[in-house]
Amino acid sequence: MKHIIAYLTLVLSLAFAFSPLFTEPFTGFAADQLPYPQIDPPIQPAGYAFAIWGLIYAWLIVSALFGVIARAGNDAWSAARTPLIASLAVGVPWLAIANASVIWATIAIIWMAVFAILALLRAPKQDRWLFQAPLALYAGWLTAASWVSIGSGMAGYGIVLGSFGWAITGILGALVVALLVFRLRPSAPEYFVSIIWALIGIIVANGSDVAAVSALAALGIAALTAALWLKRQV
């Protein structure tokens, strides 16, 4: 059974990486998907930031391939693969879901993030660069992306706070989750790297036009960097 799980992880990692070739491009929720269209919402990082997916796809494939070759029957790897499979299985059709429904896309990406984080927490500390690190990068980006989706969707449905308020809420939410995960798994700084990358993208996207959002993102980067530094001092 463990070998089947290992091969399934590889198949889903490949399917996840190639899924963008079979769906319409996704650059944010379209105007006709929301009652209050969100054109460049302040919670959304600049477009270049999404290039991190190339690294995530490639690293997950390398990890899964190594896992099949060298760790197919490993108990620790198998324990982490199960939630990773739950995340990737939803990730494969996620672009199609996002192009069809804001609500279901948000639910789906939260699901992906939760199971990616669970996989990270279960990952063995051995083979860090071939398993824990790619999981951390993947889980970190999904953490940020979940709050982007929540913020854009809530603002798009006109729920209470508006796009500015949801941008602030989304950044704070991502930081709280990030610090909680890091407290549970401080040996995975790559988790913070993804979130810092997203925060930099938010600063680039907003600049001085939405200075409060940029400032909060910068403070978030400082907080995560400080947490990493303090961990190194222990």
Side-chain angles (χ1 to χ4, degrees):
M1 186 63 181
K2 293 172 188 173
H3 287 72
I4 293 173
I5 291 174
Y7 279 99
L8 183 57
T9 302
L10 176 58
V11 168
L12 286 173
S13 296
L14 288 166
F16 185 46
F18 286 100
S19 62
L21 300 177
F22 301 96
T23 58
E24 292 294 323
F26 179 78
T27 57
F29 297 123
D32 60 358
Q33 287 182 277
L34 293 162
Y36 299 91
Q38 300 296 295
I39 308 301
D40 297 325
I43 186 63
Q44 186 165 298
Y48 79 87
F50 294 89
I52 194 174
W53 274 117
L55 176 58
I56 292 170
Y57 290 144
W59 211 348
L60 285 175
I61 291 171
V62 170
S63 173
L65 185 60
F66 173 81
V68 165
I69 294 170
R71 299 288 185 269
N74 185 281
D75 289 337
W77 273 62
S78 184
R81 284 184 182 120
T82 304
L84 177 59
I85 286 170
S87 179
L88 293 174
V90 175
V92 173
W94 188 84
L95 289 173
I97 295 170
N99 283 318
S101 168
V102 175
I103 294 173
W104 282 109
T106 302
I107 292 170
I109 203 164
I110 292 171
W111 170 286
M112 291 168 64
V114 168
F115 281 96
I117 290 169
L118 182 57
L120 172 62
L121 296 179
R122 289 185 178 181
K125 293 182 180 179
Q126 70 174 108
D127 305 315
R128 174 187 169 189
W129 296 108
L130 286 166
F131 197 31
Q132 180 182 273
L135 277 179
L137 200 70
Y138 174 59
W141 185 255
L142 286 175
T143 299
S146 295
W147 283 101
V148 170
S149 188
I150 291 168
S152 298
M154 290 292 193
Y157 278 95
I159 298 176
V160 185
L161 300 177
S163 61
F164 174 79
W166 280 110
I168 298 297
T169 301
I171 292 172
L172 291 174
L175 291 173
V176 169
V177 173
L179 291 169
L180 287 173
V181 172
F182 188 67
R183 183 176 181 180
L184 294 171
R185 197 59 187 255
S187 63
E190 299 81 13
Y191 179 76
F192 273 5
V193 170
S194 281
I195 297 173
I196 289 172
W197 179 255
L199 292 171
I200 292 171
I202 288 173
I203 294 171
V204 171
N206 288 284
S208 59
D209 293 336
V210 192
V213 172
S214 295
L216 181 60
L219 287 173
I221 292 170
L224 298 184
T225 303
L228 287 173
W229 183 82
L230 289 172
K231 175 59 185 176
R232 288 176 64 88
Q233 305 310 305
V234 176

